[in-house]
Amino acid sequence: MRSTVSVIKADIGSLAGHHVVHPDTMAAANRVLADAKRQGIILDYYITNVGDDLELIMSHTRGELDTKVHETAWSAFKEATKVSKELGLYAAGQDLLSDTFSGNLKGMGPGIAELEVEERPSEPIAIFMADKTEPGAFNFPLYKMFCDPFNTPGLVIDPTMNEGFKLEVLDVYEGQSVLLNSPEEIYYLLGLIGTMARYVIRRVYRKADNMIGSVTSIERLNLIAGKYVGKDDPVLIVRLQHGFPALGEALEAFSFPYLVPGWMRGSHYGPLMPVSQRDAKATRFDGPPRLIGLGFNLKNGKLTGPSDLFDDPAFDETRRVAAIMTDYMRRHGPFMPHRLEPTEMEYTTLPTIIEKLKDRFKKEDSVKAKPSVYASKDQGMD
């Protein structure tokens, strides 16, 4: 049976600032999805949140980018936005960049990850949802899960994983992608995905049979809107077991609270902290960036679960380290490396400051040319 899991998220307004989704907005979305289930548009669903993002998890047999499924999500977000406005919640409808639905949600603001699979006898999946960061934040754990035998011993000891995986990397600025093989091309792969703001691992395929293993949302709101309107807050679906990473291998990739771009006003680096659903709310400095994980089984197009994957003392040390890293980064104040690099600040209010001061800058004769960021072709890189 071919089944599809669609995870679609949007910030439609939140309580007390960029903090947490209000339960009344979730109830409004629930009414829309329940009606879609009665009509047979979707077979099952689960609604949750991470921070100020409303997350819709839907299962169906209609495939990816289905008009009716996307229209259902759009209607849910619109109804939730109405409630947000009635309650005076902050940034009501922030991620909805259009007033009219136009066939599917691509380019309209909400983040989308859809996984269509031929169901295995047992189809375990993990869904990871982050707040206060961007799609490239999943590059590091995806590399650990699918390419690093120190994280995923199945790459060594599971014959169905020995051939490795293919990773589709998207250049979000140019709108073009490249397919790279692991382990043969991991140096090329790392050369790209280390630049999280530009290169995003969109999909991963098992090399032996081209079976899809994961999919990541790739929407960059500032590139769509042309200005900063909120962080992208990505979602990730990962297939587990039977030739894919085991659940423990997928979770192990998040045991180190690595730095991600986003956090306060989308302009700072901070540690990604894996938390339980009950702790999925932005607090200190509108963060630190949060991650939740939910485990499901998919059978005949219906969802069994979820299990709250990070609601476990095994991740207490990760959270403690993240809190220490939060202190360390915050001590930098407005200075890099806490603040994002200039190219990422282009979509914030920083350009308006430069514009206001441009007539006050005086050219120095001693400064002859703008230094190049990169060495020339003839110059060594030692």
Side-chain angles (χ1 to χ4, degrees):
M1 178 177 181
R2 292 199 68 80
S3 299
T4 305
V5 176
S6 299
V7 183
I8 304 179
K9 54 71 56 180
D11 180 347
I12 48 76
S14 52
L15 181 65
H18 291 294
H19 173 51
V20 68
V21 170
H22 194 282
D24 287 0
T25 61
M26 297 177 71
N30 184 73
R31 288 191 288 271
V32 175
L33 266 59
D35 185 57
K37 184 177 178 180
R38 283 191 294 269
Q39 295 180 44
I41 296 173
I42 58 177
L43 297 178
D44 210 350
Y45 68 92
Y46 184 81
I47 299 174
T48 187
N49 78 288
V50 53
D52 55 5
D53 290 304
L54 179 61
E55 313 274 350
L56 309 179
I57 301 170
M58 300 171 286
S59 61
H60 53 93
T61 58
R62 307 178 71 92
E64 300 175 13
L65 295 176
D66 179 76
T67 296
K68 288 187 178 295
V69 172
H70 281 221
E71 188 173 23
T72 295
W74 180 255
S75 298
F77 292 139
K78 295 293 280 187
E79 290 301 309
T81 297
K82 287 180 185 177
V83 175
S84 288
K85 291 180 178 178
E86 291 169 0
L87 296 175
L89 300 182
Y90 185 71
Q94 173 182 277
D95 285 1
L96 308 184
L97 303 182
S98 176
D99 295 324
T100 307
F101 180 73
S102 58
N104 64 60
L105 293 176
K106 289 181 68 174
M108 297 182 68
I112 308 159
E114 294 187 292
L115 183 72
E116 184 179 10
V117 300
E118 186 77 35
E119 284 189 19
R120 299 171 289 172
S122 178
E123 189 62 66
I125 61 171
I127 299 174
F128 298 102
M129 295 156 278
D131 184 35
K132 302 299 182 287
T133 187
E134 60 190 38
F138 285 132
N139 286 357
F140 179 86
L142 282 169
Y143 178 82
K144 300 291 283 184
M145 289 180 212
F146 290 96
C147 306
D148 183 0
F150 282 77
N151 180 92
T152 305
L155 292 165
V156 176
I157 63 179
D158 184 344
T160 61
M161 299 175 70
N162 284 163
E163 290 187 39
F165 292 87
K166 297 185 293 186
L167 296 90
E168 180 187 341
V169 179
L170 175 70
D171 180 339
V172 297
Y173 284 87
E174 297 296 331
Q176 56 189 13
S177 61
V178 60
L179 203 60
L180 295 173
N181 293 302
S182 173
E184 306 97 305
E185 298 180 301
I186 59 171
Y187 295 159
Y188 297 152
L189 175 66
L190 290 169
L192 296 181
I193 65 174
T195 307
M196 294 184 288
R198 178 162 187 166
Y199 298 102
V200 177
I201 299 174
R202 178 161 58 179
R203 296 185 184 93
V204 179
Y205 301 91
R206 192 165 61 194
K207 204 185 300 179
D209 54 12
N210 214 38
M211 187 178 288
I212 191 164
S214 78
V215 62
T216 306
S217 63
I218 48 85
E219 286 71 24
R220 289 292 309 272
L221 285 172
N222 57 358
L223 299 182
I224 297 171
K227 61 181 180 180
Y228 179 73
V229 292
K231 218 53 190 167
D232 317 293
D233 306 331
V235 294
L236 166 67
I237 310 173
V238 179
R239 297 177 82 180
L240 305 169
Q241 313 291 156
H242 307 301
F244 294 113
L247 173 62
E249 291 168 335
L251 295 179
E252 180 67 14
F254 296 103
S255 61
F256 171 62
Y258 58 97
L259 295 174
V260 297
W263 208 353
M264 172 61 75
R265 303 182 187 276
S267 304
H268 297 80
Y269 283 101
L272 186 63
M273 179 184 284
V275 298
S276 65
Q277 284 191 92
R278 67 176 175 274
D279 291 326
K281 49 195 172 188
T283 54
R284 184 177 178 184
F285 206 57
D286 276 0
R290 304 292 172 109
L291 174 79
I292 65 170
L294 298 181
F296 293 92
N297 272 75
L298 182 67
K299 185 66 173 179
N300 296 326
K302 294 189 176 183
L303 298 166
T304 300
S307 172
D308 191 348
L309 299 175
F310 294 121
D311 185 15
D312 187 86
F315 282 92
D316 285 350
E317 182 67 8
T318 303
R319 292 185 275 266
R320 188 187 72 83
V321 172
I324 293 172
M325 293 170 67
T326 296
D327 269 338
Y328 173 78
M329 296 302 288
R330 284 299 304 125
R331 294 298 177 267
H332 290 81
F335 288 86
M336 296 173 66
H338 186 24
R339 197 177 78 177
L340 298 189
E341 55 271 20
T343 53
E344 286 299 291
M345 297 294 287
E346 288 177 4
Y347 296 96
T348 69
T349 56
L350 186 60
T352 64
I353 296 175
I354 303 299
E355 181 65 24
K356 288 178 181 178
L357 296 177
K358 67 177 183 179
D359 294 334
R360 296 169 60 180
F361 277 95
K362 303 298 181 184
K363 186 172 179 61
E364 296 288 339
D365 292 338
S366 59
V367 181
K368 298 298 184 183
K370 179 180 178 182
S372 174
V373 177
Y374 303 104
S376 70
K377 292 182 181 179
D378 299 326
Q379 189 174 351
M381 298 294 288
D382 296 337

